[in-house]
Structure formats: structure tokens, C-alpha cells
Amino acid sequence: MNSASNRRKFLLDLMSQLDGQKVNCSSCLGTCCTFQANSMQITPLEGVEILTYLKESNRLDDSLKEKLKRCVADYRLNVEISTSRGRAFRKTYTCPFFTPGPKGCSLPKDVNPYGCLGFNPKVMGVKNGGNCSLQEDVAQLREEKFKTYEMKINQRLREAYDLSWYKTSIPQALLSLWGKRGI
């Protein structure tokens, strides 16, 4: 019931529906994945799912680890800046899994972060972002259905792996989970 694909079903169905209307990312440069617009943060559960996929597909290696570290350093993701309201300012960064062009992400959709899957064009022919957004109603339905389950799993992961974060950037999440028992 709560497999990764089930938890992404709402978002994947939305993407499929939009694709049927030719509202998709197929001709976009992928601005939403670059430092120009990307500030994606993920939960421990999403991080474990990505690392598990990477491990199973033999992509966990020193080269990837260095790429993640470079991303953190280049965009100063490890330096926290607070807003006037005392909340952490979300920094932008180019996703380490971004491949320029319409293909975009080098991760399969069944492990993509929820926020990535839910961020879609609003019109046909988007080429350089700008007319894309999170489909709030679908994202909210997905969250309501799985909120309790995900909160419990994320809390267990935070405790088991001694994590101090609830959500953080993709490279920071993966580096903090890398090599943990069972991953």
C-alpha cells in the first residue's frame, strides 16, 4: 500500500494527464532543476529511496560522492542563513542528477522527490520554465493520504540514523545518509 510508487501515484497520474494534453517538459531546458529556480528539499524517506535506487543500479561510487560534495560547496548549501522571521533561507542549486535538455533528471520517476514530480508546466510548449508550478490540490491530496505513514517513517529514520534535519537539499540528504546501516 505504501510503496514508493503508490506514494507517487497521485503525482504520476497528474503528469500523465498533463502529458495527454501535451502539457509537459519535453521541450524545456530544465530551468527548474538548476540554480536559477531549484531549491528542492527532501525528507529522510525520499533520501533513502534515492540512495537505495542508486545502490541497486550501481551508481553509488566515489565520483557521485564528489559530485554531491561539490554541489554542497559550490552553492554553499552547508551555510545556513536565516530570514527575518527566523526561518532558514532556502538556497538554490543545480540538482546533481540534472542532465541538460528535455530528459532532465537522471533518476527514474519512481524515486523522484515528490516536489519534483508535482512541479509541472501550466501550458503547452514551455521551453525555459517560467510558466510552471506545483499543483497544490493534487500535492495536498497526496500528502493527506500518506502524511501519518511518512511522518512515522521519517521519525524512525531520523532516530535510527541520528539525523538532525527534517528536510534538506538533495545532495546534503544523500551525503548524510550515505553509508548508513542498511542503505
Side-chain angles (χ1 to χ4, degrees):
M1 168 62 179
N2 285 319
S3 72
S5 58
N6 282 341
R7 285 182 277 108
R8 287 171 174 76
K9 185 171 178 9
F10 282 95
L11 302 170
L12 294 172
D13 287 350
L14 170 66
M15 289 177 75
S16 180
Q17 178 186 357
L18 291 171
D19 192 47
Q21 300 167 13
K22 304 215 182 312
V23 176
N24 56 42
C25 306
S26 66
S27 56
C28 189
L29 298 174
T31 304
C32 65
C33 299
T34 71
F35 69 93
Q36 295 171 306
N38 176 47
S39 63
M40 180 57 58
Q41 294 187 342
I42 62 173
T43 63
L45 176 57
E46 291 169 289
V48 166
E49 290 170 346
I50 292 170
L51 277 177
T52 300
Y53 162 77
L54 293 168
K55 183 178 181 180
E56 289 172 355
S57 59
N58 295 316
R59 289 179 59 184
L60 279 185
D61 58 24
D62 291 339
S63 158
L64 175 60
K65 189 176 257 187
E66 285 308 308
K67 187 175 188 176
L68 296 172
K69 287 178 180 179
R70 265 194 326 274
C71 185
V72 170
D74 289 351
Y75 297 102
R76 298 182 46 168
L77 297 174
N78 57 336
V79 179
E80 194 168 298
I81 300 172
S82 296
T83 66
S84 60
R85 293 184 176 178
R87 294 177 57 187
F89 178 76
R90 285 176 69 154
K91 294 182 181 180
T92 60
Y93 64 97
T94 297
C95 181
F97 299 103
F98 173 64
T99 304
K103 181 78 170 144
C105 187
S106 66
L107 296 174
K109 287 181 174 58
D110 62 341
V111 297
N112 274 145
Y114 310 127
C116 295
L117 295 174
F119 195 79
N120 291 290
K122 294 189 277 185
V123 297
M124 290 181 355
V126 171
K127 298 209 182 314
N128 197 21
N131 203 354
C132 305
S133 67
L134 182 65
Q135 185 94 22
E136 293 290 337
D137 56 341
V138 174
Q140 188 172 351
L141 276 174
R142 193 217 71 80
E143 185 174 314
E144 286 173 9
K145 182 167 181 163
F146 298 106
K147 184 176 186 172
T148 302
Y149 170 79
E150 289 174 2
M151 282 176 45
K152 287 178 184 175
I153 295 296
N154 280 311
Q155 186 58 35
R156 285 186 196 143
L157 290 169
R158 289 183 74 244
E159 290 169 6
Y161 298 135
D162 195 28
L163 304 173
S164 61
W165 51 274
Y166 291 90
K167 282 184 129 180
T168 193
S169 70
I170 294 170
Q172 288 175 290
L174 298 183
L175 286 168
S176 71
L177 289 164
W178 192 299
K180 301 282 185 178
R181 177 180 40 86
I183 302 176

PDB file of all heavy atoms in Angstrom, residues 9 14 19 32 36 43 47-48 66 78 87 91-93 97 99 109-110 120-121 129 133 141 152 162:
ATOM      1  N   LYS A   9       1.842   7.949  -6.888  1.00  0.00           N
ATOM      2  CA  LYS A   9       0.788   7.721  -7.878  1.00  0.00           C
ATOM      3  C   LYS A   9      -0.009   8.977  -8.205  1.00  0.00           C
ATOM      4  O   LYS A   9      -0.243   9.269  -9.375  1.00  0.00           O
ATOM      5  CB  LYS A   9      -0.148   6.605  -7.428  1.00  0.00           C
ATOM      6  CG  LYS A   9      -1.197   6.247  -8.481  1.00  0.00           C
ATOM      7  CD  LYS A   9      -1.956   5.007  -8.085  1.00  0.00           C
ATOM      8  CE  LYS A   9      -3.051   4.606  -9.032  1.00  0.00           C
ATOM      9  NZ  LYS A   9      -3.202   5.256 -10.290  1.00  0.00           N
ATOM     10  N   LEU A  14      -1.126  12.761 -12.421  1.00  0.00           N
ATOM     11  CA  LEU A  14      -1.248  14.147 -12.885  1.00  0.00           C
ATOM     12  C   LEU A  14      -0.325  14.396 -14.071  1.00  0.00           C
ATOM     13  O   LEU A  14      -0.734  14.966 -15.081  1.00  0.00           O
ATOM     14  CB  LEU A  14      -0.919  15.125 -11.753  1.00  0.00           C
ATOM     15  CG  LEU A  14      -0.786  16.593 -12.192  1.00  0.00           C
ATOM     16  CD1 LEU A  14      -2.114  17.135 -12.687  1.00  0.00           C
ATOM     17  CD2 LEU A  14      -0.234  17.434 -11.053  1.00  0.00           C
ATOM     18  N   ASP A  19       0.453  15.228 -19.742  1.00  0.00           N
ATOM     19  CA  ASP A  19       1.151  14.781 -20.944  1.00  0.00           C
ATOM     20  C   ASP A  19       0.153  14.463 -22.058  1.00  0.00           C
ATOM     21  O   ASP A  19       0.402  14.764 -23.225  1.00  0.00           O
ATOM     22  CB  ASP A  19       2.021  13.569 -20.637  1.00  0.00           C
ATOM     23  CG  ASP A  19       2.974  13.237 -21.757  1.00  0.00           C
ATOM     24  OD1 ASP A  19       3.638  14.167 -22.273  1.00  0.00           O
ATOM     25  OD2 ASP A  19       3.070  12.052 -22.125  1.00  0.00           O
ATOM     26  N   CYS A  32      13.978  24.556 -13.965  1.00  0.00           N
ATOM     27  CA  CYS A  32      13.531  24.249 -12.600  1.00  0.00           C
ATOM     28  C   CYS A  32      14.493  23.329 -11.868  1.00  0.00           C
ATOM     29  O   CYS A  32      14.408  23.184 -10.645  1.00  0.00           O
ATOM     30  CB  CYS A  32      12.126  23.649 -12.606  1.00  0.00           C
ATOM     31  SG  CYS A  32      12.000  22.049 -13.421  1.00  0.00           S
ATOM     32  N   GLN A  36      18.905  28.461 -11.047  1.00  0.00           N
ATOM     33  CA  GLN A  36      18.012  29.568 -11.360  1.00  0.00           C
ATOM     34  C   GLN A  36      16.668  29.436 -10.658  1.00  0.00           C
ATOM     35  O   GLN A  36      16.015  30.432 -10.389  1.00  0.00           O
ATOM     36  CB  GLN A  36      17.791  29.666 -12.873  1.00  0.00           C
ATOM     37  CG  GLN A  36      19.049  30.015 -13.622  1.00  0.00           C
ATOM     38  CD  GLN A  36      18.851  29.894 -15.118  1.00  0.00           C
ATOM     39  OE1 GLN A  36      18.430  28.859 -15.612  1.00  0.00           O
ATOM     40  NE2 GLN A  36      19.150  30.970 -15.826  1.00  0.00           N
ATOM     41  N   THR A  43      12.867  14.719   2.338  1.00  0.00           N
ATOM     42  CA  THR A  43      12.788  14.101   3.660  1.00  0.00           C
ATOM     43  C   THR A  43      13.771  12.930   3.730  1.00  0.00           C
ATOM     44  O   THR A  43      14.264  12.458   2.688  1.00  0.00           O
ATOM     45  CB  THR A  43      11.369  13.566   3.914  1.00  0.00           C
ATOM     46  OG1 THR A  43      11.099  12.531   2.952  1.00  0.00           O
ATOM     47  CG2 THR A  43      10.325  14.667   3.828  1.00  0.00           C
ATOM     48  N   GLY A  47      15.247  10.515   0.661  1.00  0.00           N
ATOM     49  CA  GLY A  47      16.685  10.299   0.523  1.00  0.00           C
ATOM     50  C   GLY A  47      17.044   8.819   0.516  1.00  0.00           C
ATOM     51  O   GLY A  47      17.855   8.366  -0.296  1.00  0.00           O
ATOM     52  N   VAL A  48      16.433   8.048   1.411  1.00  0.00           N
ATOM     53  CA  VAL A  48      16.687   6.607   1.465  1.00  0.00           C
ATOM     54  C   VAL A  48      16.238   5.957   0.159  1.00  0.00           C
ATOM     55  O   VAL A  48      16.936   5.076  -0.379  1.00  0.00           O
ATOM     56  CB  VAL A  48      15.984   5.966   2.682  1.00  0.00           C
ATOM     57  CG1 VAL A  48      15.945   4.449   2.566  1.00  0.00           C
ATOM     58  CG2 VAL A  48      16.674   6.391   3.974  1.00  0.00           C
ATOM     59  N   GLU A  66      31.741  12.743  -4.769  1.00  0.00           N
ATOM     60  CA  GLU A  66      32.449  14.008  -5.026  1.00  0.00           C
ATOM     61  C   GLU A  66      31.529  15.035  -5.684  1.00  0.00           C
ATOM     62  O   GLU A  66      31.591  16.223  -5.375  1.00  0.00           O
ATOM     63  CB  GLU A  66      33.701  13.771  -5.876  1.00  0.00           C
ATOM     64  CG  GLU A  66      34.843  13.160  -5.105  1.00  0.00           C
ATOM     65  CD  GLU A  66      35.168  13.929  -3.821  1.00  0.00           C
ATOM     66  OE1 GLU A  66      35.355  15.162  -3.868  1.00  0.00           O
ATOM     67  OE2 GLU A  66      35.223  13.287  -2.752  1.00  0.00           O
ATOM     68  N   ASN A  78      25.725  24.210   2.883  1.00  0.00           N
ATOM     69  CA  ASN A  78      26.004  23.910   4.287  1.00  0.00           C
ATOM     70  C   ASN A  78      26.081  25.164   5.160  1.00  0.00           C
ATOM     71  O   ASN A  78      26.277  25.065   6.367  1.00  0.00           O
ATOM     72  CB  ASN A  78      27.303  23.108   4.412  1.00  0.00           C
ATOM     73  CG  ASN A  78      28.484  23.841   3.795  1.00  0.00           C
ATOM     74  OD1 ASN A  78      28.316  24.683   2.921  1.00  0.00           O
ATOM     75  ND2 ASN A  78      29.666  23.504   4.228  1.00  0.00           N
ATOM     76  N   ARG A  87      13.397  31.777  10.037  1.00  0.00           N
ATOM     77  CA  ARG A  87      13.391  30.504   9.325  1.00  0.00           C
ATOM     78  C   ARG A  87      14.625  30.420   8.434  1.00  0.00           C
ATOM     79  O   ARG A  87      15.166  31.436   8.013  1.00  0.00           O
ATOM     80  CB  ARG A  87      12.128  30.378   8.486  1.00  0.00           C
ATOM     81  CG  ARG A  87      10.868  30.305   9.355  1.00  0.00           C
ATOM     82  CD  ARG A  87       9.616  30.264   8.560  1.00  0.00           C
ATOM     83  NE  ARG A  87       9.624  29.146   7.624  1.00  0.00           N
ATOM     84  CZ  ARG A  87       8.701  28.942   6.711  1.00  0.00           C
ATOM     85  NH1 ARG A  87       7.691  29.777   6.605  1.00  0.00           N
ATOM     86  NH2 ARG A  87       8.756  27.921   5.904  1.00  0.00           N
ATOM     87  N   LYS A  91      18.257  27.913  -0.195  1.00  0.00           N
ATOM     88  CA  LYS A  91      19.189  28.290  -1.258  1.00  0.00           C
ATOM     89  C   LYS A  91      18.893  27.516  -2.533  1.00  0.00           C
ATOM     90  O   LYS A  91      18.427  26.385  -2.496  1.00  0.00           O
ATOM     91  CB  LYS A  91      20.615  28.012  -0.818  1.00  0.00           C
ATOM     92  CG  LYS A  91      21.041  28.881   0.332  1.00  0.00           C
ATOM     93  CD  LYS A  91      22.466  28.592   0.684  1.00  0.00           C
ATOM     94  CE  LYS A  91      22.884  29.458   1.847  1.00  0.00           C
ATOM     95  NZ  LYS A  91      24.263  29.203   2.203  1.00  0.00           N
ATOM     96  N   THR A  92      19.199  28.133  -3.639  1.00  0.00           N
ATOM     97  CA  THR A  92      19.035  27.458  -4.923  1.00  0.00           C
ATOM     98  C   THR A  92      20.331  26.732  -5.288  1.00  0.00           C
ATOM     99  O   THR A  92      21.421  27.134  -4.862  1.00  0.00           O
ATOM    100  CB  THR A  92      18.660  28.446  -6.037  1.00  0.00           C
ATOM    101  OG1 THR A  92      19.687  29.428  -6.161  1.00  0.00           O
ATOM    102  CG2 THR A  92      17.323  29.123  -5.752  1.00  0.00           C
ATOM    103  N   TYR A  93      20.176  25.674  -6.066  1.00  0.00           N
ATOM    104  CA  TYR A  93      21.323  24.886  -6.518  1.00  0.00           C
ATOM    105  C   TYR A  93      20.915  24.086  -7.743  1.00  0.00           C
ATOM    106  O   TYR A  93      19.739  23.823  -7.954  1.00  0.00           O
ATOM    107  CB  TYR A  93      21.831  23.949  -5.407  1.00  0.00           C
ATOM    108  CG  TYR A  93      20.838  22.890  -4.983  1.00  0.00           C
ATOM    109  CD1 TYR A  93      20.886  21.597  -5.507  1.00  0.00           C
ATOM    110  CD2 TYR A  93      19.833  23.166  -4.049  1.00  0.00           C
ATOM    111  CE1 TYR A  93      19.972  20.623  -5.124  1.00  0.00           C
ATOM    112  CE2 TYR A  93      18.924  22.193  -3.652  1.00  0.00           C
ATOM    113  CZ  TYR A  93      18.997  20.925  -4.194  1.00  0.00           C
ATOM    114  OH  TYR A  93      18.096  19.962  -3.810  1.00  0.00           O
ATOM    115  N   PHE A  97      21.568  15.501 -10.191  1.00  0.00           N
ATOM    116  CA  PHE A  97      21.039  14.491 -11.103  1.00  0.00           C
ATOM    117  C   PHE A  97      20.452  15.099 -12.374  1.00  0.00           C
ATOM    118  O   PHE A  97      19.892  14.389 -13.201  1.00  0.00           O
ATOM    119  CB  PHE A  97      19.994  13.623 -10.382  1.00  0.00           C
ATOM    120  CG  PHE A  97      20.589  12.898  -9.221  1.00  0.00           C
ATOM    121  CD1 PHE A  97      20.366  13.334  -7.923  1.00  0.00           C
ATOM    122  CD2 PHE A  97      21.424  11.808  -9.421  1.00  0.00           C
ATOM    123  CE1 PHE A  97      20.951  12.694  -6.852  1.00  0.00           C
ATOM    124  CE2 PHE A  97      22.013  11.165  -8.349  1.00  0.00           C
ATOM    125  CZ  PHE A  97      21.774  11.611  -7.063  1.00  0.00           C
ATOM    126  N   THR A  99      20.384  16.487 -16.013  1.00  0.00           N
ATOM    127  CA  THR A  99      21.062  16.346 -17.289  1.00  0.00           C
ATOM    128  C   THR A  99      20.439  17.369 -18.222  1.00  0.00           C
ATOM    129  O   THR A  99      19.228  17.300 -18.480  1.00  0.00           O
ATOM    130  CB  THR A  99      20.851  14.924 -17.869  1.00  0.00           C
ATOM    131  OG1 THR A  99      21.293  13.974 -16.906  1.00  0.00           O
ATOM    132  CG2 THR A  99      21.613  14.740 -19.160  1.00  0.00           C
ATOM    133  N   LYS A 109      11.289   8.241 -12.357  1.00  0.00           N
ATOM    134  CA  LYS A 109      10.166   8.904 -11.681  1.00  0.00           C
ATOM    135  C   LYS A 109       9.742   8.204 -10.393  1.00  0.00           C
ATOM    136  O   LYS A 109       9.241   8.848  -9.485  1.00  0.00           O
ATOM    137  CB  LYS A 109       8.978   9.033 -12.636  1.00  0.00           C
ATOM    138  CG  LYS A 109       9.197  10.094 -13.695  1.00  0.00           C
ATOM    139  CD  LYS A 109       7.984  10.210 -14.600  1.00  0.00           C
ATOM    140  CE  LYS A 109       8.084  11.328 -15.583  1.00  0.00           C
ATOM    141  NZ  LYS A 109       9.196  11.305 -16.481  1.00  0.00           N
ATOM    142  N   ASP A 110       9.957   6.899 -10.295  1.00  0.00           N
ATOM    143  CA  ASP A 110       9.509   6.205  -9.085  1.00  0.00           C
ATOM    144  C   ASP A 110      10.393   6.456  -7.870  1.00  0.00           C
ATOM    145  O   ASP A 110      10.090   5.974  -6.778  1.00  0.00           O
ATOM    146  CB  ASP A 110       9.300   4.709  -9.327  1.00  0.00           C
ATOM    147  CG  ASP A 110      10.558   3.978  -9.725  1.00  0.00           C
ATOM    148  OD1 ASP A 110      11.536   4.610 -10.163  1.00  0.00           O
ATOM    149  OD2 ASP A 110      10.569   2.740  -9.599  1.00  0.00           O
ATOM    150  N   ASN A 120       4.948  21.144 -12.408  1.00  0.00           N
ATOM    151  CA  ASN A 120       4.673  20.889 -13.826  1.00  0.00           C
ATOM    152  C   ASN A 120       4.310  22.156 -14.567  1.00  0.00           C
ATOM    153  O   ASN A 120       3.856  23.140 -13.970  1.00  0.00           O
ATOM    154  CB  ASN A 120       3.499  19.899 -13.936  1.00  0.00           C
ATOM    155  CG  ASN A 120       3.867  18.523 -13.454  1.00  0.00           C
ATOM    156  OD1 ASN A 120       4.632  17.828 -14.090  1.00  0.00           O
ATOM    157  ND2 ASN A 120       3.342  18.135 -12.301  1.00  0.00           N
ATOM    158  N   PRO A 121       4.467  22.124 -15.905  1.00  0.00           N
ATOM    159  CA  PRO A 121       4.043  23.269 -16.708  1.00  0.00           C
ATOM    160  C   PRO A 121       2.532  23.470 -16.609  1.00  0.00           C
ATOM    161  O   PRO A 121       1.785  22.520 -16.356  1.00  0.00           O
ATOM    162  CB  PRO A 121       4.430  22.896 -18.143  1.00  0.00           C
ATOM    163  CG  PRO A 121       5.154  21.611 -18.073  1.00  0.00           C
ATOM    164  CD  PRO A 121       5.016  21.057 -16.718  1.00  0.00           C
ATOM    165  N   GLY A 129      11.087  27.100 -18.598  1.00  0.00           N
ATOM    166  CA  GLY A 129      10.389  27.287 -17.328  1.00  0.00           C
ATOM    167  C   GLY A 129       9.522  28.522 -17.372  1.00  0.00           C
ATOM    168  O   GLY A 129       9.053  28.940 -18.419  1.00  0.00           O
ATOM    169  N   SER A 133       4.339  25.318 -12.079  1.00  0.00           N
ATOM    170  CA  SER A 133       4.064  25.461 -10.652  1.00  0.00           C
ATOM    171  C   SER A 133       3.707  24.110 -10.058  1.00  0.00           C
ATOM    172  O   SER A 133       3.466  23.139 -10.772  1.00  0.00           O
ATOM    173  CB  SER A 133       2.919  26.444 -10.411  1.00  0.00           C
ATOM    174  OG  SER A 133       1.706  25.919 -10.913  1.00  0.00           O
ATOM    175  N   LEU A 141      -3.651  16.413  -1.660  1.00  0.00           N
ATOM    176  CA  LEU A 141      -4.322  15.105  -1.566  1.00  0.00           C
ATOM    177  C   LEU A 141      -3.310  13.999  -1.297  1.00  0.00           C
ATOM    178  O   LEU A 141      -3.530  13.129  -0.452  1.00  0.00           O
ATOM    179  CB  LEU A 141      -5.066  14.787  -2.862  1.00  0.00           C
ATOM    180  CG  LEU A 141      -6.456  15.367  -3.025  1.00  0.00           C
ATOM    181  CD1 LEU A 141      -6.979  15.072  -4.422  1.00  0.00           C
ATOM    182  CD2 LEU A 141      -7.405  14.797  -1.981  1.00  0.00           C
ATOM    183  N   LYS A 152       5.743   8.966  10.502  1.00  0.00           N
ATOM    184  CA  LYS A 152       6.280   7.890  11.342  1.00  0.00           C
ATOM    185  C   LYS A 152       7.596   7.351  10.778  1.00  0.00           C
ATOM    186  O   LYS A 152       8.562   7.164  11.513  1.00  0.00           O
ATOM    187  CB  LYS A 152       5.268   6.746  11.460  1.00  0.00           C
ATOM    188  CG  LYS A 152       4.089   7.067  12.346  1.00  0.00           C
ATOM    189  CD  LYS A 152       3.108   5.905  12.377  1.00  0.00           C
ATOM    190  CE  LYS A 152       1.884   6.255  13.189  1.00  0.00           C
ATOM    191  NZ  LYS A 152       0.872   5.186  13.140  1.00  0.00           N
ATOM    192  N   ASP A 162      20.388   9.089  13.396  1.00  0.00           N
ATOM    193  CA  ASP A 162      20.830  10.262  14.142  1.00  0.00           C
ATOM    194  C   ASP A 162      20.884  11.506  13.236  1.00  0.00           C
ATOM    195  O   ASP A 162      21.898  12.203  13.157  1.00  0.00           O
ATOM    196  CB  ASP A 162      22.197   9.995  14.783  1.00  0.00           C
ATOM    197  CG  ASP A 162      22.542  11.021  15.844  1.00  0.00           C
ATOM    198  OD1 ASP A 162      21.610  11.581  16.464  1.00  0.00           O
ATOM    199  OD2 ASP A 162      23.748  11.286  16.042  1.00  0.00           O
TER     200      ASP A 162
END
